[in-house]
Protein backbone atom coordinates (compact mmCIF):
# COMPACT_ATOMS: atom_id res chain seq x y z
CA UNK A 1 0.00 0.00 0.00
CA UNK A 2 1.66 3.21 -1.19
CA UNK A 3 -1.17 5.50 -0.25
CA UNK A 4 -1.22 8.70 1.74
CA UNK A 5 -4.72 9.83 2.63
CA UNK A 6 -5.84 13.33 3.53
CA UNK A 7 -9.11 14.59 4.96
CA UNK A 8 -11.07 16.62 4.26
CA UNK A 9 -10.73 17.03 0.47
CA UNK A 10 -12.20 20.53 0.63
CA UNK A 11 -12.55 22.96 3.52
CA UNK A 12 -14.13 26.40 3.69
CA UNK A 13 -13.59 28.33 6.90
CA UNK A 14 -13.98 31.81 8.28
CA UNK A 15 -11.12 33.79 9.74
CA UNK A 16 -12.30 33.14 13.30
CA UNK A 17 -12.75 29.38 12.90
CA UNK A 18 -10.53 26.59 14.20
CA UNK A 19 -10.17 23.54 12.00
CA UNK A 20 -7.76 20.65 11.49
CA UNK A 21 -6.38 18.84 8.48
CA UNK A 22 -5.54 15.17 8.81
CA UNK A 23 -2.98 13.01 7.01
CA UNK A 24 -2.43 9.28 7.39
CA UNK A 25 -0.02 6.71 5.96
CA UNK A 26 0.47 3.02 6.69
CA UNK A 27 3.72 2.42 4.83
CA UNK A 28 5.85 2.47 7.96
CA UNK A 29 7.42 5.75 6.90
CA UNK A 30 9.12 7.75 9.62
CA UNK A 31 9.26 11.16 7.92
CA UNK A 32 6.10 13.18 7.21
CA UNK A 33 5.71 16.59 5.61
CA UNK A 34 3.25 19.45 5.15
CA UNK A 35 3.35 21.62 2.05
CA UNK A 36 1.36 24.63 0.90
CA UNK A 37 0.72 25.15 -2.79
CA UNK A 38 -0.82 28.28 -4.30
CA UNK A 39 -2.34 28.19 -7.77
CA UNK A 40 0.23 27.84 -10.58
CA UNK A 41 3.11 27.76 -8.09
CA UNK A 42 5.31 24.91 -6.86
CA UNK A 43 4.68 23.34 -3.44
CA UNK A 44 6.42 25.08 -0.55
CA UNK A 45 7.65 23.10 2.42
CA UNK A 46 6.06 24.07 5.75
CA UNK A 47 7.00 21.38 8.29
CA UNK A 48 8.90 18.11 8.50
CA UNK A 49 8.41 15.51 11.20
CA UNK A 50 11.07 12.87 11.58
CA UNK A 51 10.43 9.99 14.00
CA UNK A 52 7.44 11.95 15.35
CA UNK A 53 9.58 14.96 16.24
CA UNK A 54 9.41 18.30 14.47
CA UNK A 55 12.69 18.61 12.59
CA UNK A 56 12.01 21.44 10.15
CA UNK A 57 9.75 24.49 10.51
CA UNK A 58 10.12 26.81 7.55
CA UNK A 59 9.22 29.96 9.50
CA UNK A 60 5.52 29.23 9.24
CA UNK A 61 3.16 31.62 11.10
CA UNK A 62 1.89 30.33 14.43
CA UNK A 63 -1.70 30.23 13.14
CA UNK A 64 -0.58 26.91 11.61
CA UNK A 65 0.18 24.33 14.28
CA UNK A 66 1.40 20.84 13.29
CA UNK A 67 1.02 17.74 15.40
CA UNK A 68 2.27 14.18 14.96
CA UNK A 69 0.38 11.97 17.44
CA UNK A 70 2.01 8.76 16.14
CA UNK A 71 4.15 7.51 13.29
CA UNK A 72 1.15 7.08 10.96
CA UNK A 73 -0.72 10.29 11.58
CA UNK A 74 -0.02 13.96 10.95
CA UNK A 75 -2.36 16.83 11.73
CA UNK A 76 -2.31 20.51 10.85
CA UNK A 77 -4.33 22.69 13.20
CA UNK A 78 -5.59 25.96 11.75
CA UNK A 79 -6.66 29.01 13.72
CA UNK A 80 -7.33 32.65 12.80
CA UNK A 81 -6.29 32.16 9.19
CA UNK A 82 -6.22 34.91 6.61
CA UNK A 83 -7.73 34.83 3.09
CA UNK A 84 -4.19 34.65 1.66
CA UNK A 85 -3.81 31.27 3.38
CA UNK A 86 -6.26 29.81 0.87
CA UNK A 87 -4.31 27.11 -0.98
CA UNK A 88 -3.89 23.40 -1.59
CA UNK A 89 -2.32 21.76 1.47
CA UNK A 90 -0.37 18.64 0.67
CA UNK A 91 0.94 15.96 2.98
CA UNK A 92 3.75 13.59 2.07
CA UNK A 93 5.76 10.82 3.66
CA UNK A 94 9.06 9.08 3.04
CA UNK A 95 10.90 6.19 4.58
CA UNK A 96 14.07 7.82 5.75
CA UNK A 97 15.66 11.04 6.81
CA UNK A 98 19.00 12.77 6.60
CA UNK A 99 20.90 14.30 9.47
CA UNK A 100 19.25 17.62 8.58
CA UNK A 101 15.86 15.99 9.01
CA UNK A 102 14.92 16.11 5.36
CA UNK A 103 14.03 13.32 3.01
CA UNK A 104 16.47 10.69 1.85
CA UNK A 105 14.37 8.76 -0.61
CA UNK A 106 11.10 8.66 -2.50
CA UNK A 107 8.30 10.88 -1.24
CA UNK A 108 4.66 9.86 -1.54
CA UNK A 109 2.05 12.62 -1.62
CA UNK A 110 -1.56 12.64 -0.57
CA UNK A 111 -4.27 14.16 -2.79
CA UNK A 112 -4.35 17.36 -0.77
CA UNK A 113 -6.93 19.48 1.02
CA UNK A 114 -8.17 22.50 -0.90
CA UNK A 115 -8.65 25.22 1.71
CA UNK A 116 -10.62 28.41 1.22
CA UNK A 117 -10.54 31.09 3.92
CA UNK A 118 -13.36 33.63 3.74
CA UNK B 1 19.89 28.57 -0.59
CA UNK B 2 19.91 26.30 -3.60
CA UNK B 3 18.29 27.64 -6.76
CA UNK B 4 16.38 25.25 -9.00
CA UNK B 5 15.56 26.18 -12.57
CA UNK B 6 13.40 24.14 -14.91
CA UNK B 7 13.05 24.50 -18.63
CA UNK B 8 11.10 24.95 -20.73
CA UNK B 9 8.35 26.58 -18.62
CA UNK B 10 5.66 25.48 -21.07
CA UNK B 11 5.52 22.80 -23.72
CA UNK B 12 2.73 21.90 -26.14
CA UNK B 13 3.14 18.70 -28.15
CA UNK B 14 1.14 16.42 -30.35
CA UNK B 15 0.33 12.95 -29.05
CA UNK B 16 3.13 10.53 -29.90
CA UNK B 17 5.90 13.13 -29.71
CA UNK B 18 8.99 12.86 -27.51
CA UNK B 19 10.20 15.53 -25.09
CA UNK B 20 13.10 16.39 -22.80
CA UNK B 21 12.63 18.42 -19.64
CA UNK B 22 15.58 19.92 -17.83
CA UNK B 23 16.32 20.76 -14.20
CA UNK B 24 19.40 22.81 -13.27
CA UNK B 25 20.46 23.35 -9.68
CA UNK B 26 22.96 25.80 -8.28
CA UNK B 27 24.81 23.62 -5.76
CA UNK B 28 25.58 19.97 -5.13
CA UNK B 29 22.64 17.97 -3.83
CA UNK B 30 22.21 14.58 -2.19
CA UNK B 31 18.65 14.17 -3.32
CA UNK B 32 16.64 14.80 -6.46
CA UNK B 33 13.15 13.75 -7.39
CA UNK B 34 10.94 14.21 -10.42
CA UNK B 35 7.19 14.57 -9.93
CA UNK B 36 4.15 14.79 -12.17
CA UNK B 37 1.21 16.85 -10.91
CA UNK B 38 -2.01 16.00 -12.73
CA UNK B 39 -4.76 18.57 -13.41
CA UNK B 40 -6.53 17.52 -10.17
CA UNK B 41 -3.48 18.39 -8.07
CA UNK B 42 -2.19 14.90 -7.26
CA UNK B 43 1.60 14.75 -7.16
CA UNK B 44 3.06 11.46 -8.33
CA UNK B 45 6.69 10.60 -7.75
CA UNK B 46 8.28 9.57 -11.04
CA UNK B 47 11.89 9.08 -10.02
CA UNK B 48 14.18 9.41 -7.05
CA UNK B 49 17.43 10.01 -8.88
CA UNK B 50 20.29 11.83 -7.11
CA UNK B 51 22.65 10.47 -9.78
CA UNK B 52 22.72 8.08 -12.71
CA UNK B 53 19.99 6.94 -15.07
CA UNK B 54 16.67 5.24 -14.46
CA UNK B 55 13.88 4.09 -16.74
CA UNK B 56 10.24 3.32 -16.12
CA UNK B 57 8.25 2.49 -19.22
CA UNK B 58 8.07 5.51 -21.52
CA UNK B 59 9.82 7.70 -18.97
CA UNK B 60 13.49 7.88 -18.16
CA UNK B 61 15.66 10.27 -16.20
CA UNK B 62 19.32 11.08 -15.98
CA UNK B 63 21.07 13.13 -13.31
CA UNK B 64 24.63 14.37 -13.80
CA UNK B 65 25.37 15.50 -10.28
CA UNK B 66 28.85 16.84 -11.06
CA UNK B 67 27.37 19.18 -13.67
CA UNK B 68 24.30 20.02 -11.58
CA UNK B 69 21.50 19.06 -13.91
CA UNK B 70 18.89 16.39 -14.44
CA UNK B 71 16.87 15.48 -17.52
CA UNK B 72 13.49 13.82 -17.77
CA UNK B 73 12.66 12.12 -21.07
CA UNK B 74 9.10 11.34 -22.10
CA UNK B 75 8.68 9.20 -25.20
CA UNK B 76 5.54 8.56 -27.26
CA UNK B 77 3.54 11.15 -25.30
CA UNK B 78 -0.07 10.44 -24.38
CA UNK B 79 -2.77 12.93 -23.37
CA UNK B 80 -2.58 11.55 -19.82
CA UNK B 81 0.99 12.87 -19.63
CA UNK B 82 -0.41 16.41 -19.51
CA UNK B 83 0.19 18.33 -16.32
CA UNK B 84 3.09 19.96 -14.54
CA UNK B 85 6.44 18.28 -14.07
CA UNK B 86 8.50 19.35 -11.07
CA UNK B 87 11.97 18.51 -9.94
CA UNK B 88 12.77 18.86 -6.24
CA UNK B 89 16.20 18.84 -4.64
CA UNK B 90 18.05 18.96 -1.34
CA UNK B 91 17.18 18.02 2.22
CA UNK B 92 14.64 20.83 2.32
CA UNK B 93 12.98 19.56 -0.86
CA UNK B 94 13.17 22.74 -2.88
CA UNK B 95 10.90 22.59 -5.91
CA UNK B 96 11.58 24.20 -9.25
CA UNK B 97 8.80 26.22 -10.86
CA UNK B 98 7.88 23.29 -13.08
CA UNK B 99 7.32 22.59 -16.76
CA UNK B 100 3.68 22.74 -17.84
CA UNK B 101 3.16 20.05 -20.49
CA UNK B 102 0.07 19.91 -22.68
CA UNK B 103 -0.35 16.94 -25.03
CA UNK B 104 -2.81 17.47 -27.86
CA UNK B 105 -4.84 14.48 -29.14
Amino acid sequence: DTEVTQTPKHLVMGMTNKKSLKCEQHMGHRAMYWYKQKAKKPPELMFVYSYEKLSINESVPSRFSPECPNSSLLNLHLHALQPEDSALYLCASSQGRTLAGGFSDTQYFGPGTRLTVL
Amino acid sequence: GIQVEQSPPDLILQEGANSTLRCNFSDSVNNLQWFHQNPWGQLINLFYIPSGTKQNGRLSATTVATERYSLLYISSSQTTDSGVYFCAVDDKIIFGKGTRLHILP
Side-chain angles (χ1 to χ4, degrees), chain A residues 26-82:
Chain A
H26 296 287
M27 294 178 276
H29 289 172
R30 302 313 297 268
M32 295 185 77
Y33 313 76
W34 280 116
Y35 290 83
K36 174 182 178 179
Q37 186 177 23
K38 301 282 277 183
K40 298 194 186 300
K41 298 287 188 184
E44 294 177 359
L45 184 65
M46 300 174 72
F47 303 104
V48 181
Y49 272 84
S50 187
Y51 291 82
E52 295 137 64
K53 286 185 171 29
L54 185 63
S55 61
I56 295 178
N57 176 345
E58 289 292 279
S59 303
V60 179
S62 59
R63 57 185 183 270
F64 295 92
S65 175
E67 179 197 18
C68 189
N70 59 58
S71 60
S72 300
L73 193 54
L74 186 66
N75 297 321
L76 186 63
H77 303 298
L78 314 172
H79 174 53
L81 294 193
Q82 304 296 309

Side-chain angles (χ1 to χ4, degrees), chain B residues 2 8 16 25 29 32 41 50 57 68 70 78 81 99:
Chain B
I2 292 180
F25 38 96
V29 295
L32 188 144
R68 300 180 188 168
S70 183
Q78 300 175 358
D81 295 331
T99 291

Side-chain angles (χ1 to χ4, degrees), chain A residues 33 35 37 40-43 45 56 58 88 90 98 100 102-107 109-111 114, chain B residues 31-33 35 37 40-43 45 47-48 86 88-93 95-98 100:
Chain A
Y33 313 76
Y35 290 83
Q37 186 177 23
K40 298 194 186 300
K41 298 287 188 184
L45 184 65
I56 295 178
E58 289 292 279
L88 180 66
L90 293 160
T98 67
F103 79 103
S104 65
D105 59 14
T106 302
Q107 277 183 303
F109 277 81
R114 205 163 288 278
Chain B
N31 306 289
L32 188 144
Q33 298 178 97
F35 293 94
Q37 188 166 38
W40 297 271
Q42 176 72 58
L43 268 164
N45 191 295
F47 295 103
Y48 173 75
F86 291 107
V89 305
D90 195 49
D91 287 356
K92 290 201 171 184
I93 315 140
F95 279 72
K97 291 184 178 179
R100 192 170 297 272

